[in-house]
Amino acid sequence: MIDSVVVIVVHLVFALAITPVLIGVMRTVRARLEGRVGGGIVQPWRDVLKLFAKEPLRAPGSSPVLTWAPLLLMASSLVLCALIPLVSTLPLAGVPGELFVVVSVLLLGTVALAMLGLEAGTAFGGMGSSRHMVFTALVEPTVLLSIYALSVPAGTSALAAIVRSRRDDLSTLLNPVSILAIAALIVVVIAETGRLPVDNPATHLELTMVHEAMILESGGRDLGWLEFGSWLRLTALLGLTVNLAVPWAVAGDASWTALLVGVAATTVKLVAAAALLAAVEVFLAKLRLFRVPELLAGSFVLAFLSVSASYLVF
Amino acid sequence: MSLTRLLSMITRTGTMTEPVADAPIEIREGFVPPACLRGSAQVRHVDAGSCNGCEIELGAAFGPVYDAERFGARLVASPRHADVVTVAGVVTQNMVEPLLNTIDATPNPRVIISIGDCTRGCGVFAGSYAVAGSVDDFAEVDVHVTGCPPAPEAIIAALRAVTRR
């Protein structure tokens, strides 16, 4: 019980501390490749602390959704970070770490964002929300299916147990099932966190916005929760993907040395993955909206093939 | 463009950002930049009736050579996300209401920066039937950037007066 509490606290503190730095690394890599200096890797920290210090400005006549949706997104992201084996694969006592629970929590944040987009009644908000839900409808089955394929050799759908079994039995890392599932997972993580080529996090062009369009009407502290919540989702999903793809040095228990090694290893893996993601983004253009479902359907096919193959391989 | 050509261009170009030069700006007497904006200020730009000369310079200020982002300033898509409202040009009859609405939609504490000579005394557009007045007539301007159009250095100096970096 104590061990589970320690692991959850470590997960939360780790995620809260590293998330803005991760965004800072991505922005800096992008700025350097564009020939700029950029704001530095702690700039997202400054941005978010400033937002928390500002009064939220809400339009007269707006409903409570404008207030609670950002909090719901932030809360769901924190739960996500606690449940996903970022640092330690210790099965949490009394807390379900099941694949289906994690995907439901992910969906909770998505729905909060979509409700927020609809709340203001503006054209952009509704457009952003409808696009977001289309992507979600294609992304969620792929997340379920690809991790399900990885769960077959582990014999359980608890994420911590999947990562642990992959760490202990390295032969499960390099086989068609694993590679197809990880490839599918990478595509859906990019779509779910609103990165290129699905959504452009830096765009201000009204017709190409998805994530930006939904949060246009939030300001001050509300926007701070929204930004931090979305960034935490990126950390959680990226952390899950790298720990499934390269599960080395993830802690197996709650001892301090193991946790310290786990924190260091996950930090290195996350920063490397984020830098790689940002570098690849420089070479990509945003996909036309009607091509995005093709990309996501492709990733679903990869996940489906992965599940089919798992019955042949194992 | 092929991937290899793009890669070689990126490595050949390197960083284009130049060290920042000092430029004169006018700060309102008694203006104290809000404490929470230290190191980070999001900018929403309003073209109230400008000839677009100032917009070109503003675009350059956020480009690779001047890179305002290194001082913590960033352009955003919504006044709700902004801390700084920059206004360029004379205020035309049609833009009075949108300008005031944009300023109202920016959460406090906010800073108003006027860019270019037109925002004081209307420049060459003074007296036109389409002009309702200069920015000073409608809002309390905290920082004014002189020039027609002002150099990107001056715009950056105004933003640095807010972020203090």
Side-chain angles (χ1 to χ4, degrees):
Chain A
M1 188 64 202
I2 301 287
D3 282 358
S4 297
V5 173
V6 168
V7 166
I8 288 178
V9 169
V10 166
H11 276 177
L12 288 180
V13 171
F14 171 73
L16 287 175
I18 194 143
T19 298
V21 178
L22 217 53
I23 300 293
V25 167
M26 294 178 89
R27 285 192 190 158
T28 304
V29 167
R30 193 179 170 89
R32 287 295 156 89
L33 290 177
E34 286 176 351
R36 296 184 292 120
V37 171
I41 57 171
V42 288
Q43 185 61 33
W45 259 124
R46 291 194 199 101
D47 289 352
V48 114
L49 290 180
K50 174 205 67 191
L51 286 174
F52 288 142
K54 290 193 77 172
E55 61 151 38
L57 194 60
R58 301 173 183 126
S62 60
S63 74
V65 173
L66 202 61
T67 315
W68 62 251
L71 295 173
L72 186 60
L73 176 69
M74 183 70 188
S76 77
S77 302
L78 283 175
V79 173
L80 206 61
C81 288
L83 292 182
I84 282 179
L86 285 174
V87 174
S88 174
T89 61
L90 187 84
L92 303 174
V95 185
E98 288 276 311
L99 165 62
F100 294 94
V101 175
V102 169
V103 174
S104 315
V105 172
L106 190 68
L107 195 60
L108 203 64
T110 310
V111 170
L113 254 178
M115 299 274 280
L116 181 81
L118 291 173
E119 202 279 330
T122 62
F124 290 140
M127 203 175 64
S129 294
S130 76
R131 289 175 179 182
H132 195 54
M133 292 321 283
V134 167
F135 294 168
T136 303
L138 293 161
V139 158
E140 303 283 335
T142 313
V143 177
L144 281 173
L145 216 56
S146 58
I147 300 181
Y148 175 69
L150 299 179
S151 78
V152 171
T156 166
S157 62
L159 290 175
I162 299 175
V163 172
R164 181 193 290 260
S165 80
R166 286 172 70 79
R167 185 198 58 178
D168 295 340
D169 182 9
L170 294 179
S171 67
T172 52
L173 288 186
L174 266 184
N175 61 48
V177 176
S178 172
I179 291 168
L180 284 170
I182 297 290
L185 206 56
I186 289 171
V187 174
V188 292
V189 166
I190 286 169
E192 185 63 39
T193 54
R195 314 295 308 186
L196 281 169
V198 176
D199 185 12
N200 185 353
T203 188
H204 304 315
L205 290 171
E206 290 84 352
L207 292 175
T208 62
M209 293 190 290
V210 180
H211 178 77
E212 279 277 314
M214 288 183 289
I215 62 171
L216 274 183
E217 288 297 320
S218 296
R221 214 177 306 125
D222 291 347
L223 182 67
W225 294 125
L226 286 171
E227 294 273 49
F228 214 132
S230 317
W231 294 346
L232 279 174
R233 280 161 77 95
L234 176 76
T235 306
L237 289 171
L238 208 60
L240 177 66
T241 312
V242 293
N243 276 350
L244 283 172
V246 273
W248 297 301
V250 181
D253 48 38
S255 70
W256 287 113
T257 45
L259 283 179
L260 221 58
V261 171
V263 165
T266 311
T267 307
V268 171
K269 283 187 258 183
L270 274 175
V271 168
L276 188 70
L277 196 61
V280 171
E281 277 184 348
V282 173
F283 296 94
L284 290 178
K286 191 181 168 299
L287 270 183
R288 209 158 61 88
L289 189 71
F290 295 113
R291 299 290 300 275
V292 172
E294 289 174 25
L295 176 76
L296 295 178
S299 78
F300 182 80
V301 170
L302 289 182
F304 185 74
L305 285 176
S306 165
V307 172
S308 316
S310 69
Y311 289 100
L312 304 174
V313 174
F314 302 112
Chain B
M1 193 182 287
S2 74
L3 196 67
T4 45
R5 274 190 60 198
L6 193 56
L7 258 177
S8 78
M9 211 171 96
I10 286 173
T11 46
R12 209 163 359 105
T13 314
T15 306
M16 292 178 68
T17 310
E18 291 172 1
V20 71
D22 239 10
I25 47 166
E26 289 171 30
I27 299 177
R28 174 171 64 85
E29 221 166 288
F31 168 69
V32 182
C36 65
L37 299 191
R38 179 180 283 278
S40 164
Q42 260 72 310
V43 179
R44 179 70 192 158
H45 179 67
V46 179
D47 176 348
S50 149
C51 67
N52 271 16
C54 295
E55 275 69 29
I56 291 174
E57 304 299 324
L58 187 75
F62 286 91
V65 178
Y66 296 97
D67 193 24
E69 204 184 321
R70 69 188 140 144
F71 304 115
R74 203 153 52 83
L75 284 172
V76 291
S78 165
R80 292 254 193 268
H81 300 185
D83 315 300
V84 174
V85 181
T86 57
V87 192
V90 292
V91 182
T92 55
Q93 303 281 4
N94 287 343
M95 281 304 285
V96 175
E97 211 188 321
L99 174 64
L100 295 179
N101 284 347
T102 305
I103 292 171
D104 278 345
T106 310
N108 279 320
R110 61 188 171 221
V111 176
I112 300 175
I113 299 179
S114 61
I115 295 176
D117 288 342
C118 292
T119 54
R120 284 228 172 126
C122 297
V124 293
F125 303 106
S128 161
Y129 66 89
V131 171
S134 64
V135 178
D136 291 316
D137 303 335
F138 298 99
E140 190 179 37
V141 173
D142 298 309
V143 183
H144 175 67
V145 186
T146 48
C148 183
E153 286 98 338
I155 296 173
I156 288 195
L159 291 171
R160 287 183 74 188
V162 178
T163 65
R164 283 157 289 168
R165 268 177 83 190

